[in-house]
């Protein structure tokens, strides 16, 4: 994420990201607020009645300038390094930058793909919790070569089956709510694909 920021021209910091309403500068400031902000500002990430606290903290953080934003991100608090899930947090936000108006792409390292593979079944469990109906989900992780199966929604006799295939990073993007930008393949029965299209997929 930091290396991406270091490679940007000044004007590119104003480019829109995949996070609706946020440009690159907003997203960088958000991550610092998430790591170092006040309790109310951090709580505002997930609690609607405190959103204004989080938004105000982002505006204030942006005032320190791009160089200092990068410096803070380069030296995160110890707890950030201790939480494995932050691998997903930074991977997804880095793709938010690249796949937004910057229109850039990169080759994800095998090391990162392997790390992300470990989260695929866990994240999938929460990504489909708002499905209406039910189907059998089969996930083909092409990074690890593993296949994961689970029941989604209310199961009935002969529930339809849906198969989703892709690299671990792309599966994670899908499961984190970026389905429109994830490079995955979806196959299965017409009914399963219909339910999938209607589902609000995302953690």
């Amino acid at each position: 994420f930091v290396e991406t920021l270091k490679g940007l021209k000044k004007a590119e910091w104003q480019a829109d990201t995949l996070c609706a309403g946020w440009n690159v500068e907003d997203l960088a400031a958000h991550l610092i607020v998430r790591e170092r902000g006040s309790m109310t500002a951090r709580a505002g990430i997930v609690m609607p009645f405190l959103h204004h606290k989080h938004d105000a903290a982002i505006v204030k953080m942006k005032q320190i300038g791009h160089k200092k934003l990068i410096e803070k991100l380069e030296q995160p608090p110890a707890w950030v390094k201790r939480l494995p899930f932050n691998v997903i947090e930074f991977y997804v936000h880095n793709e938010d930058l690249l796949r937004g108006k910057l229109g850039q792409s990169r080759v994800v390292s095998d090391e990162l793909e392997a790390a992300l593979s470990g989260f695929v079944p866990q994240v999938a469990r929460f990504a489909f919790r708002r499905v209406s109906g039910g189907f059998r989900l089969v996930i083909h992780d092409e990074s690890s070569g593993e296949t994961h199966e689970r029941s989604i929604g209310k199961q009935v006799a002969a529930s339809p089956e849906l198969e989703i295939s892709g690299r671990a990073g792309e599966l994670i993007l899908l499961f984190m709510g970026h389905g429109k930008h994830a490079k995955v393949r979806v196959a299965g029965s017409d009914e399963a694909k219909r339910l999938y299209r209607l589902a609000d997929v995302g953690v």
Side-chain angles (χ1 to χ4, degrees), residues 129-182:
R129 67 190 185 280
R130 294 182 291 269
V131 172
S132 176
F135 54 85
R136 187 70 182 166
L137 176 64
V138 180
I139 303 168
H140 300 292
D141 181 347
E142 296 173 352
S143 296
S144 66
E146 295 180 329
T147 295
H148 309 281
E149 299 185 24
R150 63 181 311 102
S151 297
I152 301 297
K154 185 178 181 180
Q155 299 296 295
V156 296
S159 291
E161 185 172 281
L162 185 78
E163 294 187 30
I164 301 179
S165 306
R167 299 276 288 172
E170 301 300 324
L171 292 170
I172 290 294
L173 284 174
L174 169 65
F175 299 151
M176 292 297 288
H178 290 325
K180 292 181 180 179
H181 304 277

Side-chain angles (χ1 to χ4, degrees), residues 33 37-45 47 50-54 57:
V33 171
S38 67
M39 289 299 294
T40 53
R42 291 160 64 181
I45 297 173
M47 297 180 179
L50 288 175
H51 279 349
H52 66 289
K53 294 288 187 180
H54 175 248

Side-chain angles (χ1 to χ4, degrees), residues 64-124:
I64 68 175
H66 298 163
K67 182 179 179 180
K68 288 187 178 180
L69 287 174
I70 290 175
E71 289 175 354
K72 286 182 177 294
L73 288 168
E74 279 188 304
Q75 300 176 358
W79 71 266
V80 174
K81 299 179 181 181
R82 288 197 299 265
L83 290 181
F85 192 79
N86 278 317
V87 172
I88 292 180
E89 180 78 7
F90 280 94
Y91 165 74
V92 171
H93 280 325
N94 194 55
E95 297 305 310
D96 286 335
L97 301 186
L98 296 175
R99 302 189 192 200
K101 290 298 183 179
L102 291 177
Q104 299 179 15
S105 62
R106 66 177 177 134
V107 177
V108 180
S109 69
D110 291 340
E111 180 183 15
L112 179 53
E113 287 285 355
L116 294 171
S117 284
F119 291 101
V120 166
Q122 302 172 36
V123 180

Side-chain angles (χ1 to χ4, degrees), residues 1-22:
F1 186 88
V2 167
E3 290 306 312
T4 297
L5 294 181
K6 285 182 175 180
L8 298 181
K9 299 176 182 178
K10 185 176 181 180
E12 290 177 319
W13 282 75
Q14 305 307 314
D16 290 337
T17 70
L18 298 186
C19 296
W22 282 359

